[in-house]
Amino acid sequence: MSRTVFNISRAQQCRQFAAPPGYQAWGSLTSGKFSGGLAKGEVLAHVHHYEGEAPTGPLFLITHPSGPSRTLCTISAPPDVAGQQKEREYTVHGPTGDYAGRIVHGRSPCGIRQAWRMHIPAGTQAVAGYKGSLRGWFTYWAALPLWPLFVLMGLLHDGGGPSTWMWDKPARVTWRSRPRGLGGALMRFTSGYSLFTWDTERLDASLTHAQAVLYFASVSKGN
């Protein structure tokens, strides 16, 4: 088993690169761990987001750092019908326009947590991850009645409220083969460092990077 670690950064310093017409620089994928506003490591790819409200092309372009003309993968989404779709499906294509798979954003089987499912063309099972661990959600809801006390303590101490992490919902995700979840973790997101780890032998790079961009876009501020 071979695992690779990469980070997504959306700091202003990571968005100083040229974007194709109709797109804006959105962020960067880098190797290594997150440190402050930037990740220490080699830039693996640049991410561009469509500027308009109704994309006529891919929603995201992920390109080689040498230039936006070298596409690594694209992420396309069907139009949202009045914003009432229960599931959102994205199509991923590789460097040569080949179909790499699809990603579905919906709910877990119990309908409690957000779910992200990667459907691999040659696979019969989806790779699915659920937002937040059960322990994380239990802690989050158990602390909810104490928030007014934390706010009051913050106001009395320094005139401000509690740190922003207090309000953030659990975001860690582990993707496994479903429905049984056998075979170990295929991909992980660690919210504290914006880090992703993935099994390079069992998951395609295009699909993995696309899933990372879509998930990070859903939890990052100002996306």
Side-chain angles (χ1 to χ4, degrees), residues 4 8 15 41 52 106 108 139 150-151 213 221:
T4 297
I8 294 183
R15 286 184 270 176
S108 63
T139 303
F150 295 146
V151 173
V213 168
K221 303 294 189 296

Side-chain angles (χ1 to χ4, degrees), residues 136-155 160-170:
W137 280 111
F138 175 81
T139 303
Y140 175 82
W141 289 113
L144 188 61
L146 301 177
W147 284 4
L149 177 61
F150 295 146
V151 173
L152 179 60
M153 292 176 60
L155 292 174
S163 301
T164 55
W165 67 266
M166 284 294 302
W167 314 107
D168 291 338
K169 295 180 179 180

Side-chain angles (χ1 to χ4, degrees), residues 44-46 62-65 70-74 93-96 206 209:
L44 303 175
H46 288 151
I62 302 177
T63 64
H64 194 275
R70 294 184 60 185
T71 301
L72 298 178
C73 70
T74 63
H93 289 86
T96 61
S206 295
H209 290 161

